[in-house]
Amino acid sequence: MHLLLFCLPLYSIATFLLGASITAGIFVFHVAVVPLIFKYSKSFKQNMIFANFAQWPFHIDYEDPAASGIEGARNINIEYQSMVDNCPVKLGIWHILPKSSYEKLKGSFEESADKEQLSKELDEELANSKYPIVLYCHGNSNSRAASHRIELYQFFQKMDFHTIAFDYRGYGDSTNVCPTERGVVEDSLIVYDWLNSTIQSSSQRPAVFVWGHSLGTGISSHLMGNLSELSRDVLKREPLPRPSGLILEAPFSNLADAVTHHPLSALVRWLPYFDNTFVSPFRSSEEYSFKSDSHLAKAKELPVLILHAKDDVVVPFVVGLKLYKSILESRNNDGSKVKLHAYDKQQNLGHKYICHAEDLEQVIGAILLTGASLTASVFFMQVAVLPLMFRYSKTVQRKMVFSNCINYPKNMDFENPSSCNVMGGRNFTIEFQSKVDNRPIKIGIWHFVPSSVLRELMSVNDEMTICDRLQRELENTHNTIVLYCHGNSNHRGSPHRLQMYRVFQELNFHVIAFDYRGYGDSSNVRPTENGVVEDALKVYSWLSGVVDERRRPMIVLWGHSLGTAIAANLVANLDDLCRSNNQKCLPAPDALVLEAPFNNLLDEIEKHPFSKLVSWLPYYKQSFVKPFSTSTEYSFTTDEYLARVTNLPLLILHSKGDRIVPYELAVKLYECVAQSRIKGGAVLQFHVFDRGHNDLCEAKKLPGVVRDFLNVIKK
């Protein structure tokens, strides 16, 4: 016991002394060793910046992108002699197809397929692309196969972009050479040059966007800011063309600022020699300074979009904001536009997951259509000009409703539907004298046959043309026919519409898709409600005259978004429309399907997300809503139309994630129609999906819902 009493104090003292010595050691390391390493060790700084020693996941099969979760992709290698490191460098690249292209070539990706032939087909797809191309410059650590990068590629694919993702030297399966700023920029230049060489033979150059993330923003900014000089000095050629835009995700102004504001710097920021030891080396280094602010000051003609999350702790929002302000100042209202799109902390997107942002599709879509545009006098436009334009300009009102000024993809070959990756189609037109506009109108139409008859029709060897065969098949068909009324903006070749046609084909439906006046290759006449409904009537009348009346197949009228109101107007006023056009009355369609409908145009305008920009104005309703309540050109009162058609089977499809036509408007429409049928009427169904406005075609349960609805009608 005495021995124990004697030993305990000694043990306590020893522990205290040992703990004190460890603490002292850590303190010395903290205030002396770490600063010295930072200031004088190039390899330490290099590893900290590029972190290419961190490779996760392990054992990636780069030759097989599908093993990493990417469908419709191939692996490519580029080899060249590096001027920076004076050695051969091989770069590993993934080329990921747009979803539409992948759907067309899906069979070529099967294990039994000819890989060499597949490579040729993908070369051709890229060289003649009608879809935008994204060149992706990843951040530090890991490789192009990192999970958060895979998620972003999947977003690009869903948006129908080609994606070119590559690894710099020292990363992934690229040559294991120590990366430097000049080295990784050289790698990016070589890939960008290869991409431009690939698409230069295209008759219409597709939009090319460079997308950088984190450290990749510093690399891509260096490349774009010095593209002319790099082209001359490294490639020994004329300057490469600038891309359509530069998108910077979680960027920093320069590496010195990034180090200063990095959360770990809080451990040493209190040191009096912090700036001299930890920050200054990155200001003067030739191997790694990544001065994005300086580089982009030299690229005034390049549109720039900055995406940054306010809860980013790796590259804090403050350094992204600093870059944005620097670019703005350098352009001084001269040059292309720059935009900062910030995400609130509540969205929990952090450093790597802006790809999860709910509005990213709309943000990127807007950039594609308009460039990274900002208006210098936004506030003045918002409170004065816009209200006046909306109230008194019929042209502005019309463009907001129909948006036919937006045509994407551009340069569409309407004569050749297969160029849009939908097989079994033909193009034709119908012409008539419009009573609405008192002039001749030509309507462009596509007809696609069901998948079940596609192969048989294409393999027939006779003297008939494909168009004649498809016409004969339509005349004698027993299959359901869908007459598709599209929504506003773009045309019948828009990617999400093409995808829906494929769904119809897989359901073994014929598809009749057309463009109203003012859209696509139809007559360039300003659209009005009466005008586009007249167009729909003429196409429906043509279709009714083509099919065999004795064994008339089921005809389904399908509308999407604005097209739901057009279809509803047509069926509600079918007899009156026929009489006013001096033609015999037509039988009603067998069913009406409304995808993403609204109850009436006034409610849609009030609930539209863009209304939030002006709904706070005291004269909001007077300026933005009332003009549509008195318009003779467009009312689109779908609820009133359908309340008069109680004997027509109706299926309403809507997504709770729809931000363009909010879900609540579909509920209002359903309740109105249900009330009108309370004493009896045809089948009424309402199905809800967890999608957005344009991607219901991707819902796995959609075909089953449609099939079940039509079976109920048949019974």
Side-chain angles (χ1 to χ4, degrees):
M1 179 63 73
H2 290 290
L3 181 62
L4 180 62
L5 290 173
F6 177 74
C7 289
L8 276 174
L10 288 178
Y11 179 77
S12 301
I13 292 169
T15 302
F16 176 78
L17 291 174
L18 181 61
S21 65
I22 291 174
T23 303
I26 291 174
F27 182 76
V28 171
F29 186 79
H30 189 63
V31 302
V33 179
V34 170
L36 289 172
I37 292 174
F38 250 82
K39 186 160 187 175
Y40 297 109
S41 173
K42 283 189 176 182
S43 61
F44 182 83
K45 286 184 289 218
Q46 193 172 47
N47 282 318
M48 187 191 76
I49 294 165
F50 295 101
N52 57 310
F53 59 86
Q55 294 288 334
W56 177 259
F58 299 126
H59 311 300
I60 293 295
D61 183 1
Y62 293 99
E63 288 293 332
D64 181 19
S68 297
I70 292 293
E71 295 182 325
R74 59 169 169 163
N75 188 65
I76 306 170
N77 294 123
I78 294 178
E79 297 186 28
Y80 74 101
Q81 183 69 22
S82 169
M83 294 179 64
V84 173
D85 288 311
N86 193 27
C87 70
V89 169
K90 183 195 77 172
L91 301 177
I93 304 171
W94 280 348
H95 167 211
I96 305 164
L97 288 175
K99 188 160 190 176
S100 296
S101 298
Y102 174 54
E103 291 294 333
K104 182 181 75 170
L105 298 172
K106 209 168 190 176
S108 301
F109 284 89
E110 295 176 359
E111 288 187 13
S112 58
D114 185 336
K115 300 299 181 185
E116 188 174 335
Q117 179 61 30
L118 173 63
S119 183
K120 289 180 181 178
E121 290 177 351
L122 267 59
D123 283 341
E124 189 174 332
E125 281 292 322
L126 186 61
N128 302 303
S129 176
K130 290 183 172 65
Y131 301 106
I133 302 170
V134 172
L135 174 61
Y136 181 72
C137 299
H138 69 64
N140 73 356
S141 78
N142 305 319
S143 67
R144 64 187 185 275
S147 60
H148 65 282
R149 292 165 190 157
I150 297 287
E151 290 187 54
L152 185 60
Y153 308 155
Q154 290 168 340
F155 168 79
F156 293 150
Q157 190 172 53
K158 179 182 173 183
M159 288 284 288
D160 255 345
F161 301 163
H162 286 274
T163 306
I164 306 299
F166 68 101
D167 278 316
Y168 321 106
R169 63 191 69 190
Y171 291 84
D173 59 341
S174 295
T175 300
N176 189 18
V177 177
C178 283
T180 61
E181 180 171 1
R182 289 177 59 224
V184 295
V185 170
E186 184 185 39
D187 296 338
S188 305
L189 173 70
I190 295 299
V191 178
Y192 186 66
D193 179 42
W194 165 81
L195 175 59
N196 277 278
S197 299
T198 302
I199 63 176
Q200 69 179 0
S201 60
S202 175
S203 58
Q204 184 68 34
R205 177 184 167 90
V208 175
F209 291 86
V210 176
W211 184 303
H213 172 244
S214 195
L215 184 67
T217 65
I219 296 168
S220 54
S221 296
H222 186 147
L223 173 64
M224 291 299 111
N226 303 276
L227 192 57
S228 296
E229 295 85 346
L230 289 167
S231 299
R232 182 187 64 239
D233 298 340
V234 178
L235 302 176
K236 310 298 182 185
R237 55 158 291 168
E238 293 297 312
L240 290 169
R242 290 193 188 279
S244 304
L246 175 63
I247 301 173
L248 303 178
E249 178 190 357
F252 48 84
S253 46
N254 54 68
L255 197 55
D257 284 346
V259 171
T260 301
H261 291 90
H262 195 280
L264 291 180
S265 68
L267 299 173
V268 289
R269 205 177 293 146
W270 56 275
L271 294 171
Y273 41 86
F274 166 70
D275 186 82
N276 185 52
T277 306
F278 289 90
V279 181
S280 182
F282 296 105
R283 292 197 186 102
S284 56
S285 172
E286 292 184 1
E287 295 189 5
Y288 23 71
S289 57
F290 292 107
K291 297 176 181 177
S292 298
D293 43 9
S294 300
H295 295 312
L296 292 180
K298 297 183 285 186
K300 294 184 179 181
E301 300 307 313
L302 178 66
V304 179
L305 169 65
I306 295 175
L307 306 171
H308 216 127
K310 291 184 178 180
D311 63 334
D312 189 335
V313 295
V314 178
V315 179
F317 177 74
V318 64
V319 290
L321 180 62
K322 189 172 182 179
L323 174 63
Y324 168 67
K325 290 179 177 178
S326 170
I327 301 172
L328 276 183
E329 185 178 348
S330 70
R331 299 189 179 191
N332 194 25
N333 296 325
D334 181 28
S336 290
K337 305 302 181 183
V338 55
K339 180 176 181 179
L340 169 63
H341 192 82
Y343 291 94
D344 291 334
K345 293 181 178 180
Q346 291 79 0
Q347 297 187 53
N348 296 317
L349 300 175
H351 183 62
K352 297 179 179 178
Y353 296 105
I354 283 179
C355 58
H356 293 173
E358 292 182 359
D359 68 342
L360 186 60
E361 187 173 334
Q362 287 77 23
V363 171
I364 302 305
I367 295 302
L368 286 175
L369 292 171
T370 64
S373 60
L374 282 178
T375 307
S377 53
V378 172
F379 185 72
F380 179 71
M381 285 284 292
Q382 194 176 15
V383 302
V385 180
L386 281 178
L388 289 173
M389 290 170 66
F390 266 83
R391 186 167 185 178
Y392 297 110
S393 172
K394 285 190 175 182
T395 301
V396 171
Q397 295 165 11
R398 191 182 304 116
K399 286 185 183 298
M400 192 191 82
V401 174
F402 295 102
S403 299
N404 58 310
C405 53
I406 301 173
N407 272 296
Y408 176 78
K410 296 179 180 178
N411 309 114
M412 177 64 65
D413 183 5
F414 291 101
E415 289 290 334
N416 182 20
S418 62
S419 68
C420 301
N421 303 329
V422 184
M423 299 296 104
R426 59 171 172 144
N427 181 73
F428 61 98
T429 60
I430 60 173
E431 298 184 24
F432 62 94
Q433 183 69 23
S434 169
K435 288 186 174 292
V436 174
D437 287 310
N438 192 29
R439 58 170 294 166
I441 294 290
K442 181 192 77 172
I443 299 295
I445 306 174
W446 281 345
H447 165 216
F448 297 101
V449 296
S451 294
S452 61
V453 299
L454 175 58
R455 187 168 298 176
E456 179 185 343
L457 283 172
M458 296 304 174
S459 62
V460 173
N461 187 15
D462 57 26
E463 295 182 358
M464 294 183 72
T465 65
I466 290 293
C467 287
D468 289 340
R469 283 185 210 151
L470 268 58
Q471 174 70 12
R472 184 179 62 183
E473 177 62 29
L474 184 64
E475 291 171 355
N476 300 309
T477 190
H478 296 285
N479 295 67
T480 297
I481 304 171
V482 169
L483 175 56
Y484 183 79
C485 298
H486 69 64
N488 73 355
S489 79
N490 305 319
H491 45 67
R492 65 187 185 274
S494 191
H496 66 279
R497 291 165 190 156
L498 297 174
Q499 203 165 342
M500 186 60 85
Y501 306 157
R502 295 189 197 99
V503 173
F504 294 149
Q505 284 185 303
E506 290 302 315
L507 282 165
N508 277 324
F509 297 166
H510 285 270
V511 186
I512 305 297
F514 68 99
D515 278 317
Y516 320 106
R517 62 192 71 188
Y519 292 83
D521 59 343
S522 294
S523 294
N524 188 18
V525 177
R526 61 179 179 82
T528 61
E529 181 170 7
N530 289 339
V532 295
V533 171
E534 184 183 37
D535 298 338
L537 170 70
K538 293 300 181 181
V539 178
Y540 182 67
S541 178
W542 164 84
L543 177 60
S544 297
V546 166
V547 297
D548 190 335
E549 289 186 4
R550 295 167 298 175
R551 48 179 185 175
R552 175 184 163 99
M554 179 176 282
I555 296 178
V556 176
L557 188 59
W558 186 299
H560 172 242
S561 195
L562 183 68
T564 63
I566 296 169
N569 187 326
L570 174 63
V571 296
N573 301 288
L574 188 57
D575 289 346
D576 291 340
L577 288 167
C578 289
R579 280 192 291 269
S580 65
N581 278 270
N582 300 320
Q583 64 183 70
K584 68 175 184 178
C585 290
L586 298 170
D590 296 278
L592 176 63
V593 180
L594 303 181
E595 176 194 353
F598 50 85
N599 54 328
N600 58 67
L601 186 60
L602 294 183
D603 281 358
E604 163 59 10
I605 289 169
E606 287 201 58
K607 295 297 182 181
H608 196 282
F610 289 125
S611 290
K612 294 178 182 178
L613 299 174
V614 289
S615 58
W616 56 275
L617 294 170
Y619 41 86
Y620 162 67
K621 287 200 173 184
Q622 190 73 13
S623 297
F624 290 89
V625 181
K626 188 176 179 181
F628 295 98
S629 66
T630 57
S631 172
T632 57
E633 292 192 5
Y634 24 72
S635 58
F636 292 114
T637 51
T638 307
D639 44 10
E640 292 182 12
Y641 299 146
L642 294 182
R644 306 201 307 264
V645 190
T646 58
N647 59 345
L648 179 65
L650 173 60
L651 171 63
I652 296 176
L653 309 170
H654 214 104
S655 299
K656 288 191 173 180
D658 192 332
R659 294 184 168 215
I660 306 299
V661 179
Y663 170 71
E664 63 186 277
L665 300 186
V667 174
K668 281 187 176 183
L669 177 62
Y670 171 75
E671 291 173 347
C672 175
V673 176
Q675 183 64 33
S676 71
R677 302 186 182 195
I678 198 166
K679 294 183 179 180
V683 175
L684 171 63
Q685 292 185 6
F686 185 10
H687 284 270
V688 183
F689 297 83
D690 187 20
R691 309 297 299 187
H693 184 65
N694 287 332
D695 60 354
L696 190 62
C697 49
E698 298 178 10
K700 291 183 179 179
K701 67 177 183 177
L702 176 63
V705 168
V706 175
R707 196 180 292 113
D708 291 345
F709 171 69
L710 297 184
N711 285 337
V712 169
I713 296 172
K714 291 174 183 176
K715 290 177 182 178

